[in-house]
Amino acid sequence: MATYQLTINGKQQTVEADADTPMLWVLRDYLDLKGTKFGCGIAQCGACTIHMDGNAVRSCSIPVSAVSEAKITTIEGLSKKADHVLQKAWVEHDVPQCGYCQAGQIMNAAALLQRNSSPSMDEIETAMNGNLCRCGTYNKIKAAISSAASNL
Protein backbone atom coordinates (compact mmCIF):
# COMPACT_ATOMS: atom_id res chain seq x y z
CA MET A 1 0.00 0.00 0.00
CA ALA A 2 1.07 3.53 -0.75
CA THR A 3 0.20 6.80 0.95
CA TYR A 4 -1.61 9.47 -1.07
CA GLN A 5 -2.18 13.13 -0.26
CA LEU A 6 -5.48 14.10 -1.84
CA THR A 7 -7.50 17.29 -1.98
CA ILE A 8 -11.12 16.27 -1.53
CA ASN A 9 -13.81 18.94 -1.26
CA GLY A 10 -11.18 21.55 -0.45
CA LYS A 11 -9.61 19.54 2.39
CA GLN A 12 -6.29 17.72 2.44
CA GLN A 13 -6.79 14.01 3.08
CA THR A 14 -4.20 11.29 3.61
CA VAL A 15 -5.13 7.84 2.39
CA GLU A 16 -3.26 4.54 2.40
CA ALA A 17 -4.45 2.39 -0.49
CA ASP A 18 -3.28 0.13 -3.27
CA ALA A 19 -2.34 2.14 -6.37
CA ASP A 20 -5.14 0.60 -8.44
CA THR A 21 -7.92 1.27 -5.91
CA PRO A 22 -10.67 3.19 -7.73
CA MET A 23 -11.44 6.65 -6.36
CA LEU A 24 -15.04 5.50 -5.85
CA TRP A 25 -13.89 3.12 -3.10
CA VAL A 26 -11.38 5.58 -1.66
CA LEU A 27 -14.22 8.08 -1.25
CA ARG A 28 -16.80 5.65 0.08
CA ASP A 29 -14.74 3.20 2.13
CA TYR A 30 -11.67 5.17 3.20
CA LEU A 31 -13.15 8.68 3.59
CA ASP A 32 -16.79 7.78 4.39
CA LEU A 33 -18.17 10.02 1.63
CA LYS A 34 -21.19 7.92 0.66
CA GLY A 35 -22.85 10.32 -1.80
CA THR A 36 -20.87 8.92 -4.72
CA LYS A 37 -22.62 5.69 -5.72
CA PHE A 38 -21.49 2.44 -7.29
CA GLY A 39 -23.57 1.70 -10.37
CA CYS A 40 -21.87 -0.43 -12.98
CA GLY A 41 -18.16 -0.39 -12.18
CA ILE A 42 -17.22 0.15 -15.85
CA ALA A 43 -17.79 3.92 -16.25
CA GLN A 44 -20.98 3.49 -18.26
CA CYS A 45 -23.83 4.63 -15.97
CA GLY A 46 -22.57 7.85 -14.33
CA ALA A 47 -23.73 7.08 -10.77
CA CYS A 48 -20.14 7.54 -9.55
CA THR A 49 -19.53 10.91 -11.24
CA ILE A 50 -17.27 13.34 -9.38
CA HIS A 51 -15.27 16.38 -10.46
CA MET A 52 -11.55 16.15 -10.99
CA ASP A 53 -10.21 19.68 -11.46
CA GLY A 54 -13.73 20.74 -12.44
CA ASN A 55 -14.26 18.03 -15.05
CA ALA A 56 -16.89 15.33 -14.63
CA VAL A 57 -15.21 11.91 -14.39
CA ARG A 58 -16.35 8.43 -13.44
CA SER A 59 -14.71 7.64 -10.12
CA CYS A 60 -15.07 3.88 -10.62
CA SER A 61 -12.50 4.04 -13.42
CA ILE A 62 -9.96 6.47 -11.93
CA PRO A 63 -7.32 4.77 -9.76
CA VAL A 64 -6.17 6.73 -6.72
CA SER A 65 -2.65 6.72 -8.15
CA ALA A 66 -3.85 8.80 -11.14
CA VAL A 67 -5.30 11.61 -9.03
CA SER A 68 -1.97 13.17 -8.02
CA GLU A 69 -2.40 16.93 -7.48
CA ALA A 70 -5.95 17.09 -8.85
CA LYS A 71 -8.71 18.69 -6.82
CA ILE A 72 -11.59 16.29 -6.29
CA THR A 73 -15.15 17.45 -5.61
CA THR A 74 -17.93 15.07 -4.61
CA ILE A 75 -21.62 15.75 -4.18
CA GLU A 76 -20.88 16.50 -0.51
CA GLY A 77 -18.48 19.25 -1.59
CA LEU A 78 -20.72 20.85 -4.19
CA SER A 79 -22.42 22.94 -1.51
CA LYS A 80 -22.01 23.06 2.25
CA LYS A 81 -25.76 23.30 2.88
CA ALA A 82 -27.03 21.31 -0.12
CA ASP A 83 -28.24 24.58 -1.61
CA HIS A 84 -26.38 24.58 -4.92
CA VAL A 85 -28.57 25.97 -7.70
CA LEU A 86 -28.85 22.47 -9.21
CA GLN A 87 -29.82 20.89 -5.91
CA LYS A 88 -32.57 23.49 -5.52
CA ALA A 89 -33.73 22.91 -9.10
CA TRP A 90 -33.81 19.14 -8.48
CA VAL A 91 -36.26 19.71 -5.61
CA GLU A 92 -38.27 22.34 -7.51
CA HIS A 93 -38.76 19.98 -10.46
CA ASP A 94 -39.33 16.90 -8.27
CA VAL A 95 -36.58 15.03 -10.11
CA PRO A 96 -35.66 12.19 -7.72
CA GLN A 97 -37.63 8.99 -7.81
CA CYS A 98 -35.45 6.29 -6.27
CA GLY A 99 -32.64 8.84 -6.03
CA TYR A 100 -29.79 6.44 -6.68
CA CYS A 101 -28.38 8.17 -9.77
CA GLN A 102 -29.05 11.71 -8.63
CA ALA A 103 -25.64 12.61 -7.17
CA GLY A 104 -23.96 11.55 -10.41
CA GLN A 105 -26.56 13.39 -12.48
CA ILE A 106 -26.09 16.60 -10.46
CA MET A 107 -22.29 16.38 -10.61
CA ASN A 108 -22.35 15.92 -14.38
CA ALA A 109 -24.81 18.81 -14.75
CA ALA A 110 -22.65 21.04 -12.51
CA ALA A 111 -19.64 20.40 -14.74
CA LEU A 112 -21.77 21.29 -17.76
CA LEU A 113 -22.91 24.57 -16.20
CA GLN A 114 -19.32 25.45 -15.26
CA ARG A 115 -18.37 25.13 -18.94
CA ASN A 116 -21.57 26.58 -20.38
CA SER A 117 -23.82 28.68 -18.16
CA SER A 118 -26.56 28.87 -20.77
CA PRO A 119 -26.82 25.50 -22.51
CA SER A 120 -29.50 24.72 -25.08
CA MET A 121 -31.71 21.64 -24.62
CA ASP A 122 -29.59 19.85 -27.24
CA GLU A 123 -26.41 20.70 -25.32
CA ILE A 124 -28.00 19.48 -22.08
CA GLU A 125 -29.06 16.22 -23.73
CA THR A 126 -25.60 15.68 -25.20
CA ALA A 127 -23.81 16.43 -21.92
CA MET A 128 -26.13 14.22 -19.85
CA ASN A 129 -26.25 11.35 -22.35
CA GLY A 130 -23.84 9.17 -20.35
CA ASN A 131 -25.80 9.34 -17.08
CA LEU A 132 -28.43 6.64 -16.77
CA CYS A 133 -31.62 6.88 -14.72
CA ARG A 134 -33.49 3.64 -14.18
CA CYS A 135 -36.60 5.59 -13.18
CA GLY A 136 -36.61 7.50 -16.45
CA THR A 137 -36.73 11.04 -15.05
CA TYR A 138 -34.80 12.42 -18.03
CA ASN A 139 -37.36 15.11 -18.88
CA LYS A 140 -37.36 16.37 -15.28
CA ILE A 141 -33.55 16.30 -15.22
CA LYS A 142 -33.35 18.40 -18.40
CA ALA A 143 -35.94 20.85 -17.05
CA ALA A 144 -34.07 21.18 -13.75
CA ILE A 145 -30.76 21.87 -15.51
CA SER A 146 -32.40 24.47 -17.75
CA SER A 147 -34.01 26.09 -14.72
CA ALA A 148 -30.72 26.09 -12.79
CA ALA A 149 -28.96 27.71 -15.75
CA SER A 150 -31.52 30.50 -15.80
CA ASN A 151 -30.86 31.11 -12.08
CA LEU A 152 -27.08 31.41 -12.34
Side-chain angles (χ1 to χ4, degrees):
M1 285 217 218
T3 301
Y4 298 93
Q5 299 295 322
L6 305 171
T7 304
I8 311 288
N9 299 329
K11 296 179 185 174
Q12 291 289 8
Q13 302 276 0
T14 301
V15 174
E16 284 190 27
D18 290 328
D20 61 349
T21 303
M23 277 304 297
L24 170 66
W25 301 118
V26 169
L27 295 168
R28 290 184 60 80
D29 294 347
Y30 294 68
L31 300 174
D32 202 34
L33 295 170
K34 305 292 188 191
T36 304
K37 305 293 187 217
F38 173 79
C40 66
I42 56 172
Q44 297 297 306
C45 73
C48 68
T49 302
I50 60 171
H51 292 177
M52 191 160 122
D53 287 334
N55 298 306
V57 297
R58 307 301 195 242
S59 64
C60 71
S61 66
I62 305 288
V64 66
S65 59
V67 172
S68 186
E69 304 284 319
K71 292 177 176 65
I72 300 296
T73 305
T74 68
I75 190 72
E76 292 91 347
L78 195 59
S79 169
K80 291 181 182 184
K81 297 181 181 180
D83 60 355
H84 186 276
V85 66
L86 280 164
Q87 291 167 312
K88 288 180 177 180
W90 245 243
V91 172
E92 176 186 331
H93 290 272
D94 196 27
V95 174
Q97 296 297 309
C98 81
Y100 198 82
C101 70
Q102 299 309 302
Q105 298 275 1
I106 289 171
M107 294 304 290
N108 199 45
L112 165 64
L113 293 181
Q114 284 178 340
R115 291 188 316 272
N116 180 354
S117 63
S118 186
S120 68
M121 268 306 161
D122 286 341
E123 290 169 324
I124 292 171
E125 282 186 30
T126 299
M128 298 304 291
N129 193 33
N131 285 75
L132 302 180
C133 174
R134 290 182 176 148
C135 300
T137 63
Y138 299 110
N139 289 333
K140 290 182 178 185
I141 289 167
K142 289 185 287 188
I145 295 167
S146 181
S147 175
S150 68
N151 289 319
L152 288 177

